[in-house]
Amino acid sequence: MVYTSTKSLETLMETVPEDCQKDIKRFKRVMDVLTKEPEPKVGQTPKEVIWTKNKAKLYRYQPAKKKTNKVPILMIYALINKPYILDLAPGSSLIEYLTDKGHDVYLLDWGTPGYEDRHMKLDDYVLDYIPRAVKKVLRTSEAKEISLLGYCIGGTLTAIFSALHPNLPIRNTIFLTSPFDFEDAGLFTNWVDERYFNLDLMVDTFGNIPAETIDFGNKLLKPLVNYFGPYVALADRADNDKFVKNWTLMQKWVGDGVPFPGEAYRQWIGEFYQKNKLIKDELYIRGQQVELKNIKANVLNIAADRDHIAIPEQTERLMDKISSKDKTFKLIPAGHVSVTVGRSAVKHTYPLIDEWLTDHSK
């Protein structure tokens, strides 16, 4: 057996061609990132919990910071993954950006459902959780009106809530890559076709749909890009510290999914993807018909041109249904996630939301 000291290896490395030395160092950096380095810190914008219900928490961000915009904004996140994607890290945080601009920002975090929550329905979120969160925000901020921002499924829930509560003081609503028309949802339409996909068997078997199942489906939309792309990119740019930092942040969030409550998932797939009830005004929530024409608040509807989860056509159809006099549709050069984090988000999304909210909150 041959024993080689570290010094001997370093001496040997000096004899290797320079290009090979760079490749070896980059490979070592990749292995360190994947096996040794600690997880990055996320969600660092200061916040306080002002209300809870079951697993859900309502946060107020930078409560001590002076608020110059009089209309508070409540962010409503999706039922999958965790909402710190909206506050990923300093400099790449929509929440940090808006609070620094003087907005009074709140976030409804659904938490992580347990097996005991498998009977939770969309009805519960729309009629029990969101209304109470809205009332708490209005009381805390001492404001007379509120702005809502719904991201992904959170935007769909926000639209349903707004349609069922036309008399609430909702001044502005922002929809961020949220699907409304499910007639053509890309590959999802084929995968969950009721002729082939046994929805009831899946829900009855699992109770809550595992986070890994949701993640698997999303990644299969672009399997090479989603499964191999991140590691190819890391290997190629491992000597770029800024890239590595952002890479670890995104990988932490991607792998930090939460289960989808079973009955809510049964509704989401069956009544939206399979029957497309929302856009047809055929959706009922606890016996109440959801008619999108009841939405009258100012609306900013944002889609991402490279979004394969909520494709722009699904998002844009909302504009034909709502009764808002002031409504704007914006297509941003980004993907479903990069619309909220990264250079594109900082350049396009953050200023757009800030300026629109400021103009519509006077």
Side-chain angles (χ1 to χ4, degrees):
M1 183 176 291
V2 178
Y3 295 88
T4 306
S5 67
T6 302
K7 187 175 181 179
S8 298
L9 285 173
E10 291 174 351
T11 302
L12 179 63
M13 281 285 293
E14 293 176 358
T15 67
V16 175
E18 185 176 348
D19 289 346
C20 293
Q21 290 185 35
K22 290 181 179 179
D23 289 340
I24 293 172
K25 288 178 180 179
R26 195 160 56 240
F27 175 76
K28 182 178 183 301
R29 177 74 169 122
V30 170
M31 296 308 297
D32 286 344
V33 170
L34 296 177
T35 63
K36 291 184 179 180
E37 295 187 1
E39 288 191 349
K41 293 181 179 180
V42 295
Q44 297 184 57
T45 303
K47 61 183 180 292
E48 64 178 353
V49 178
I50 63 171
W51 174 82
T52 64
K53 178 176 172 61
N54 193 14
K55 309 298 192 312
K57 295 179 180 179
L58 177 62
Y59 295 112
R60 188 187 193 190
Y61 286 85
Q62 300 209 49
K65 193 176 186 67
K66 184 179 179 181
K67 314 300 180 184
T68 56
N69 292 280
K70 65 179 183 179
V71 182
I73 177 169
L74 170 61
M75 296 184 174
I76 299 173
Y77 191 65
L79 299 177
I80 56 176
N81 289 109
K82 293 186 178 178
Y84 61 74
I85 191 66
L86 297 169
D87 183 31
L88 193 60
S92 189
S93 165
L94 175 59
I95 289 173
E96 176 194 54
Y97 185 92
L98 292 177
T99 52
D100 284 348
K101 292 290 185 177
H103 295 278
D104 194 5
V105 179
Y106 301 77
L107 169 71
L108 182 54
D109 180 351
W110 301 115
T112 303
Y115 186 70
E116 67 277 9
D117 300 308
R118 64 191 182 280
H119 300 301
M120 289 280 292
K121 301 181 68 174
L122 299 180
D123 309 47
D124 302 311
Y125 296 108
V126 170
L127 296 180
D128 295 336
Y129 286 74
I130 298 179
R132 296 184 188 182
V134 167
K135 291 177 182 178
K136 184 63 177 180
V137 169
L138 289 172
R139 284 199 301 269
T140 302
S141 63
E142 298 181 346
K144 295 181 180 179
E145 296 177 297
I146 191 171
S147 295
L148 303 176
L149 184 152
Y151 183 23
C152 188
I153 300 173
T156 313
L157 296 178
T158 298
I160 296 170
F161 164 77
S162 300
L164 292 176
H165 298 84
N167 296 322
L168 284 181
I170 303 171
R171 179 160 181 167
N172 307 305
T173 305
I174 298 174
F175 299 107
L176 192 56
T177 61
S178 301
F180 302 103
D181 183 3
F182 297 81
E183 183 67 29
D184 181 5
L187 286 175
F188 280 138
T189 300
N190 297 325
W191 290 346
V192 300
D193 189 311
E194 57 188 324
R195 292 174 296 176
Y196 318 115
F197 181 66
N198 195 328
L199 173 61
D200 291 333
L201 179 61
M202 185 172 186
V203 174
D204 294 342
T205 300
F206 282 112
N208 292 331
I209 306 305
E212 295 81 3
T213 302
I214 303 297
D215 183 55
F216 180 68
N218 289 336
K219 285 181 176 177
L220 274 185
L221 293 171
K222 292 185 177 180
L224 290 178
V225 171
N226 291 323
Y227 279 105
F228 301 104
Y231 299 99
V232 171
L234 177 62
D236 186 53
R237 303 176 65 183
D239 51 358
N240 184 325
D241 289 339
K242 184 176 180 180
F243 172 83
V244 171
K245 178 182 177 181
N246 292 332
W247 188 92
T248 57
L249 284 165
M250 280 305 305
Q251 291 307 303
K252 173 178 172 58
W253 179 78
V254 168
D256 204 6
V258 297
F260 202 127
E263 290 305 318
Y265 182 82
R266 198 193 306 268
Q267 287 176 288
W268 182 243
I269 299 300
E271 299 192 18
F272 292 78
Y273 279 94
Q274 292 182 345
K275 295 184 172 61
N276 198 20
K277 289 185 176 182
L278 177 61
I279 206 72
K280 297 177 181 178
D281 297 330
E282 295 175 357
L283 180 68
Y284 283 80
I285 298 293
R286 285 192 192 157
Q288 300 181 58
Q289 184 180 11
V290 179
E291 297 182 275
L292 294 174
K293 68 180 181 181
N294 291 332
I295 297 176
K296 300 176 182 178
N298 304 319
V299 166
L300 173 62
N301 190 10
I302 300 173
D305 64 355
R306 299 192 303 275
D307 194 340
H308 55 284
I309 293 176
I311 59 179
E313 290 78 9
Q314 288 185 270
T315 299
E316 188 174 10
R317 276 294 309 280
L318 176 74
M319 308 305 286
D320 298 329
K321 299 290 294 186
I322 59 179
S323 300
S324 307
K325 294 181 180 179
D326 187 324
K327 53 184 178 180
T328 302
F329 177 77
K330 286 286 186 179
L331 186 63
I332 287 180
H336 189 73
V337 178
S338 61
V339 75
T340 60
V341 292
R343 287 179 296 177
S344 178
V346 174
K347 181 179 179 180
H348 299 285
T349 312
Y350 296 4
L352 171 62
I353 291 176
D354 166 50
E355 292 167 10
W356 188 87
L357 280 173
T358 300
D359 289 343
H360 290 80
S361 300
K362 296 177 181 177

